[in-house]
Amino acid sequence: MSLLPILTIPDTRLKTKCKPLANVDGRVVGLMDDMLETMYKAPGIGLAAPQIGLLERLIVVDVTDQRTEKPDPIAMVNPELIWTSDELAVTQEGCLSIPEIYADVTRPKMVRVRYVDRAGEVREMDADGLLATCIQHEIDHLNGVLFIDHLSSLKRNMILRKYNKARK
Ligand code: GNR
Ligand code: NI
C-alpha cells in the first residue's frame, strides 16, 4: 500500500476525459487499495483516479464517519449512472483537488450506478443522500468535470479568484 500525491487545479489532467479499464487485474486492485489509503489519509469521502494523475475510469468512495463508524470502502471500475431521480438535492461540496473551497451544488438526489467491482463482477447499487452526491462528484472527475463547473460562471469566477488569492 502507498500514499499517492493528490493533484490540484489548474492541473490539466483534472480536465481530461478518462479511458475505460479493460479488466480488473492485480494492478487495478493495488490502485484501489492505494487510492482508499490516500482518501482516508486526506481525509476525504471519495477519490477519482485522475486526482492521482491516472486517466482511467476508477473511483473509490466511503461516506462513513471515520471516527465513529466502521469503514465501508467501495471501489468502482467504469462506473455509469443508469438512472437518476428527477428529485434534486443541494449539498455543500468540497474537493481534495480544490482545497478549502466549498459551495452548494444541485444534483439528482438518488442514483443507480452500474460498475465493475474488485472481483471483476458487474454490479448495480442504489444510492441516496451523501453517497449519491459523492458518486456523482467522482464520476464527474472521470469526465474532466469539477464541482465548480456546476455553478454559474459568476460564482465559479468568484471562487477561482478566492482560490488563487489564497494559494499565492
Ligand atoms: O472529501 C470530499 N467531500 C465531499 C463532500 C461533498 C461532496 C463531494 C465530496 S468528494 C470530496 C473528495 C473529492 O474531492 N473527491 O473527488
Ligand atoms: Ni473531487
Side-chain angles (χ1 to χ4, degrees):
M1 299 254 286
S2 46
L3 281 176
L4 307 162
I6 297 174
L7 306 182
T8 54
I9 58 167
D11 195 298
T12 56
R13 286 169 284 186
L14 295 167
K15 302 261 58 175
T16 309
K17 190 174 162 83
C18 299
K19 296 230 152 64
L21 283 156
N23 49 18
V24 181
D25 55 15
R27 179 189 75 99
V28 173
V29 171
L31 278 169
M32 288 171 173
D33 290 337
D34 289 347
M35 285 173 60
L36 283 162
E37 185 186 1
T38 302
M39 177 190 79
Y40 288 127
K41 172 79 192 313
I45 60 170
L47 191 69
Q51 294 181 279
I52 54 149
L54 218 98
L55 300 181
E56 301 183 279
R57 302 187 79 81
L58 168 61
I59 66 174
V60 294
V61 299
D62 187 344
V63 299
T64 63
D65 185 334
Q66 278 195 64
R67 295 166 314 171
T68 59
E69 291 178 87
K70 81 177 220 286
D72 184 19
I74 304 167
M76 299 180 170
V77 166
N78 303 336
E80 293 174 74
L81 296 175
I82 57 170
W83 174 81
T84 58
S85 62
D86 292 334
E87 189 183 352
L88 305 176
V90 179
T91 308
Q92 179 169 278
E93 298 198 16
C95 183
L96 296 170
S97 297
I98 319 174
E100 289 166 55
I101 296 289
Y102 303 90
D104 283 350
V105 178
T106 304
R107 301 181 185 271
K109 182 177 183 289
M110 290 167 280
V111 301
R112 175 167 292 161
V113 58
R114 180 179 293 154
Y115 63 98
V116 178
D117 71 8
R118 63 187 291 138
E121 307 280 354
V122 176
R123 298 187 54 158
E124 287 181 14
M125 178 187 292
D126 290 324
D128 192 352
L130 188 58
L131 180 59
T133 298
C134 187
I135 289 168
Q136 293 175 79
H137 175 118
E138 302 314 333
I139 292 175
D140 270 352
H141 274 299
L142 304 182
N143 295 320
V145 174
L146 300 172
F147 80 92
I148 55 172
D149 297 325
H150 290 278
L151 308 175
S152 67
S153 58
L154 179 69
K155 193 137 200 222
R156 180 167 55 252
N157 288 333
M158 279 174 49
I159 282 174
L160 290 172
R161 273 193 295 275
K162 177 175 166 183
Y163 178 80
N164 289 327
K165 193 169 169 189
R167 197 170 60 108
K168 197 69 234 306

